[in-house]
């Protein structure tokens, strides 16, 4: 994943919720309980949430919203 390479941290999660169905989360199995939300965007019935480990969350905020927009 491009974000993992750019921020040199694999503790990044993407959560996609299309409409009223249960969403899917992509990212490592461990560590999500510490994750901070860096971007959230709803477009129509789709919601995209990007979460990251606190060590990279502040640095990611500048690129997370454009990414969420592209994914929505």
């Amino acid at each position: 994943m491009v974000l993992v390479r750019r921020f040199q941290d694999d503790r990044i999660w993407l959560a996609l919720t299309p409409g009223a169905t249960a969403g899917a989360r992509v990212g490592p199995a461990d560590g999500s309980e510490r994750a901070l939300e860096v971007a959230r965007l709803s477009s129509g019935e789709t919601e995209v949430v990007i979460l990251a480990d606190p060590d990279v969350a502040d640095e990611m905020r500048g690129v997370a919203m454009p990414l969420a927009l592209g994914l929505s």
Side-chain angles (χ1 to χ4, degrees):
M1 176 189 277
V2 173
L3 293 175
V4 170
R5 282 186 294 216
R6 178 171 178 177
F7 295 102
Q8 298 178 359
D9 196 319
D10 67 344
R11 296 166 297 174
I12 299 169
W13 297 266
L14 304 176
L16 304 169
T17 307
T21 62
R25 181 178 276 191
V26 177
D30 295 330
S32 64
E33 65 280 349
R34 289 189 51 199
L36 299 176
E37 185 176 305
V38 294
R40 177 181 296 263
L41 181 68
S42 296
S43 178
E45 293 185 14
T46 301
E47 182 174 62
V48 177
V49 180
I50 301 175
L51 304 118
D53 186 78
D55 293 341
V56 295
D58 286 338
E59 187 179 352
M60 279 193 65
R61 290 188 199 283
V63 298
M65 189 54 73
L67 177 62
L69 182 61
L71 291 171
S72 70

